[in-house]
């Protein structure tokens, strides 16, 4: 099993920045891709960004150029740097990890952007 623990969420003013962290534990070997989803109130969960163990990244078009995903393999941790935040980015952000065709989710981190 893989457990994912997220941290770094909170309240930030519009235009500010925030960095989310997601630490993996348990059966961490052979974890390939990791990434982030978000779900705003009353809206569908959407993919934000992903990164492979080799550092290949993908971003949703809506966040490309503003968000940066990174990964520290030694710490089994993935990060999401979020810049130029807007109130509409308020959502619960979920970490996801893929290992041997299985997917694991974090508990979610609340990000609130005030106007």
């Amino acid at each position: 099993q893989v457990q994912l623990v997220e941290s770094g969420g909170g309240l930030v003013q519009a235009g500010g920045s925030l960095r989310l962290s997601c630490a993996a534990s348990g059966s961490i070997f052979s974890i390939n891709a990791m990434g982030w989803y978000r779900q705003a109130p009353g809206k569908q969960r959407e993919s934000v960004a992903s990164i492979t163990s080799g550092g290949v990244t993908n971003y949703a078009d809506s966040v490309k150029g503003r968000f940066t995903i990174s990964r520290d393999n030694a710490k089994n941790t993935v990060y999401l740097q979020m810049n130029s935040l807007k109130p509409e980015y308020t959502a619960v952000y979920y970490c996801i990890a893929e290992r041997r065709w299985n997917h694991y989710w974090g508990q979610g981190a609340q990000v609130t952007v005030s106007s």
Side-chain angles (χ1 to χ4, degrees):
Q1 294 292 102
V2 175
Q3 294 82 45
L4 303 174
V5 179
E6 302 177 11
S7 61
L11 176 64
V12 64
Q13 293 184 359
S17 300
L18 203 64
R19 189 177 76 159
L20 302 179
S21 300
C22 175
S25 62
S27 300
I28 60 175
F29 296 107
S30 300
I31 291 178
N32 187 15
M34 299 184 71
W36 295 90
Y37 281 68
R38 68 184 178 190
Q39 187 167 22
K43 297 184 179 179
Q44 186 177 0
R45 188 181 305 179
E46 62 178 347
S47 177
V48 176
S50 65
I51 185 169
T52 69
S53 60
V56 179
T57 60
N58 285 286
Y59 297 92
D61 289 340
S62 61
V63 305
K64 191 173 184 179
R66 300 192 307 275
F67 290 7
T68 302
I69 189 170
S70 61
R71 184 171 179 173
D72 187 337
N73 290 329
K75 296 182 178 180
N76 305 118
T77 301
V78 65
Y79 306 92
L80 185 67
Q81 179 68 45
M82 303 181 293
N83 299 324
S84 302
L85 288 167
K86 300 178 180 180
E88 54 262 40
Y89 295 162
T90 294
V92 178
Y93 285 73
Y94 296 91
C95 179
I96 185 171
E98 181 183 32
R99 179 181 182 271
R100 296 177 177 175
W101 301 105
N102 295 315
H103 293 83
Y104 304 88
W105 293 88
Q107 80 285 356
Q110 177 68 50
V111 173
T112 302
V113 184
S114 63
S115 59

